[in-house]
Amino acid sequence: MTTKTLTVARDLLATNKLAAAAIRAELRARGILGVNLLSSPGSGKTALLEALADRFRGRFNLAVIEGDIETERDAERIRAKGVPAWQITTGGACHLEARMIGQVLGRVPAAVDLLFIENVGNLVCPASYDLGEDLRLVLLSSPEGDDKPAKYPQAFLSADALVLTKSDLLPYLPFDPRRAAEEARRIKPGLRVFNVSALCGDGLEELAAYLVEALERLRSGHA
Amino acid sequence: MHELSLVASVFEVLEEEARKHGARRVVRVVLRVGVMSGVVPELLESAFETYKIGTIAETARLEIVPVPVRLRCPDCGGEAVREDADFSCAACGSRRVEIVEGRDLVVGTIELET
């Protein structure tokens, strides 16, 4: 009986990283901007997508992959806006993984410009999983409190932009959007921050312009 | 809270290596866990203890080595470990730092009995 010590140095997320790289390559080749939405449950991911569907109608084609533990509800809300949507029910899993996106990608129509992936509502686990997106938006709603970036640094560290949602509630809450932005930028310097209200439409124009810019960058090969 | 599925990936690695080296059992596993990997070491440990029953690693000892955040500064070229959640360069204060270590989850060393 002998023992043998091996240095294996195997990255446990390697399989996901490979699947994500393949998705990123396919989306770029097809000229589709992939956008991953991360937030805690109830911060307004689906409402933001509904509002963006209205704003982009007739100009850009959207498609949405919905991740939830159970139910088709979010996909139904998106379809009601005339946007194709596929629901991934994870059956308990706390995040989406790249291979789940890969299974849906073939069904995304050729004419799509922006593919949104609404991750499972969770500010912790989804941060560790690259889905092959080109942009990662982290949402933080005003009722959640402006102290969240420091408490959940991984999510904000991995973000390309921070979307502060439910700005229509600001008059009633102690939430300070400047403090939220400062806290997030302490973790991720230079982070773009948008203040939006899906309900009133405030700030949607700026966010839509940011997405269109990213799409144009991707299509000109400078992503 | 996806520690169990990560442990499942650990066992894929263990079974593959054991097969490759004709091992009878896995004696020791060292996991390098980045402090910013989003994983809780205690949960990883209990998931490992549950998962190992009936496998080639049933009697294996798990060692978790925390990997601190190491930052590299493109402005001054400095590289340093940060213990707190302050992502700025310790030498020049620049905030444009990149994280070079501390976000990954890696099966480092394994000890096999052949």
Side-chain angles (χ1 to χ4, degrees), chain A residues 19-217:
Chain A
I23 291 166
R24 187 167 289 113
E26 181 178 338
L27 287 176
R28 284 183 181 174
R30 292 174 61 183
I32 299 173
L33 182 75
V35 185
N36 185 359
L37 265 58
L38 246 76
S39 80
S40 47
S43 58
K45 293 184 291 301
T46 316
L48 180 68
L49 291 176
E50 288 172 318
L52 287 172
D54 288 338
R55 182 155 290 265
F56 282 130
R57 187 167 297 118
R59 294 196 295 142
F60 294 98
N61 293 316
L62 272 49
V64 178
I65 298 174
E66 287 285 348
D68 273 301
I69 289 175
E70 289 294 347
T71 83
E72 278 267 327
R73 281 178 197 169
D74 282 356
E76 283 161 9
R77 280 172 62 183
I78 299 298
R79 286 181 204 126
K81 292 284 179 188
V83 170
W86 301 272
Q87 183 80 47
I88 297 173
T89 44
T90 62
C94 50
H95 60 274
L96 291 175
E97 294 193 13
R99 71 180 162 75
M100 300 174 181
I101 305 303
Q103 287 162 0
V104 180
L105 215 53
R107 279 183 264 161
V108 175
V112 164
D113 302 299
L114 295 118
L115 173 66
F116 290 94
I117 303 164
E118 184 182 333
N119 223 307
V120 179
N122 177 342
L123 210 44
V124 185
C125 310
S128 305
Y129 290 84
D130 182 1
L131 300 182
E133 73 270 18
D134 258 293
L135 276 187
R136 183 175 290 193
L137 305 185
V138 172
L139 277 65
L140 174 62
S141 67
S142 49
E144 291 171 72
D146 49 26
D147 59 346
K148 291 300 169 291
K151 289 181 169 180
Y152 300 90
Q154 283 105 350
F156 295 89
L157 188 64
S158 74
D160 293 299
L162 168 62
V163 184
L164 299 173
T165 59
K166 307 188 189 181
S167 68
D168 49 291
L169 293 177
L170 287 176
Y172 315 103
L173 298 165
F175 187 94
D176 180 356
R178 275 214 321 251
R179 184 178 169 216
E182 270 168 30
E183 285 229 343
R185 286 189 181 126
R186 203 165 295 149
I187 295 160
K188 181 92 187 242
L191 186 69
R192 286 287 296 268
V193 180
F194 298 91
N195 285 286
V196 307
S197 164
L199 208 62
C200 308
D202 294 350
L204 280 176
E205 200 177 316
E206 290 84 353
L207 179 60
Y210 170 75
L211 294 170
V212 170
E213 253 171 57
L215 175 67
E216 283 166 357
R217 232 177 12 249

Side-chain angles (χ1 to χ4, degrees), chain A residues 2 4 6 8 10 125 189, chain B residues 1 95 105 107-108 110 112 114:
Chain A
T2 54
K4 200 190 274 188
L6 307 168
V8 286
R10 284 268 291 270
C125 310
Chain B
M1 250 310 283
R95 297 210 152 269
L105 271 169
V107 182
I110 60 176
L112 302 173
T114 49

Side-chain angles (χ1 to χ4, degrees), chain A residues 1-13 17 94-95 125 128-129 153-154 157-158 186-187 189, chain B residues 1-2 6 10 13 16-17 21 24 36-38 95 99 104-114:
Chain A
M1 188 186 85
T2 54
T3 62
K4 200 190 274 188
T5 305
L6 307 168
T7 305
V8 286
R10 284 268 291 270
D11 180 356
L12 287 180
L13 293 174
K17 285 175 186 167
C94 50
H95 60 274
C125 310
S128 305
Y129 290 84
Q154 283 105 350
L157 188 64
S158 74
R186 203 165 295 149
I187 295 160
Chain B
M1 250 310 283
H2 47 274
L6 289 170
V10 173
V13 174
E16 189 187 316
E17 293 294 330
H21 296 273
R24 289 191 303 143
M36 287 294 283
S37 66
R95 297 210 152 269
I99 298 180
D104 287 331
L105 271 169
V106 174
V107 182
T109 313
I110 60 176
E111 202 177 308
L112 302 173
E113 186 184 294
T114 49

Side-chain angles (χ1 to χ4, degrees), chain B residues 20-99:
Chain B
K20 216 157 64 187
H21 296 273
R24 289 191 303 143
R25 65 184 195 101
V26 180
V27 183
R28 194 169 66 100
V29 184
V30 180
L31 291 184
R32 293 168 49 81
V33 178
V35 297
M36 287 294 283
S37 66
V39 161
V40 186
E42 290 76 12
L43 296 181
L44 210 53
E45 242 164 71
S46 57
F48 186 89
E49 293 308 312
T50 309
Y51 204 98
K52 73 180 189 181
I53 297 162
T55 73
I56 193 155
E58 175 138 23
T59 54
R61 203 167 70 247
L62 175 68
E63 284 170 30
I64 293 180
V65 180
V67 180
V69 171
R70 177 176 287 276
L71 303 173
R72 183 185 295 139
C73 175
D75 290 336
C76 75
E79 208 177 292
V81 163
R82 288 306 297 237
E83 299 290 348
D84 45 12
D86 183 349
F87 298 107
S88 63
C89 175
C92 74
S94 167
R95 297 210 152 269
R96 299 200 313 136
V97 290
E98 25 175 319
I99 298 180

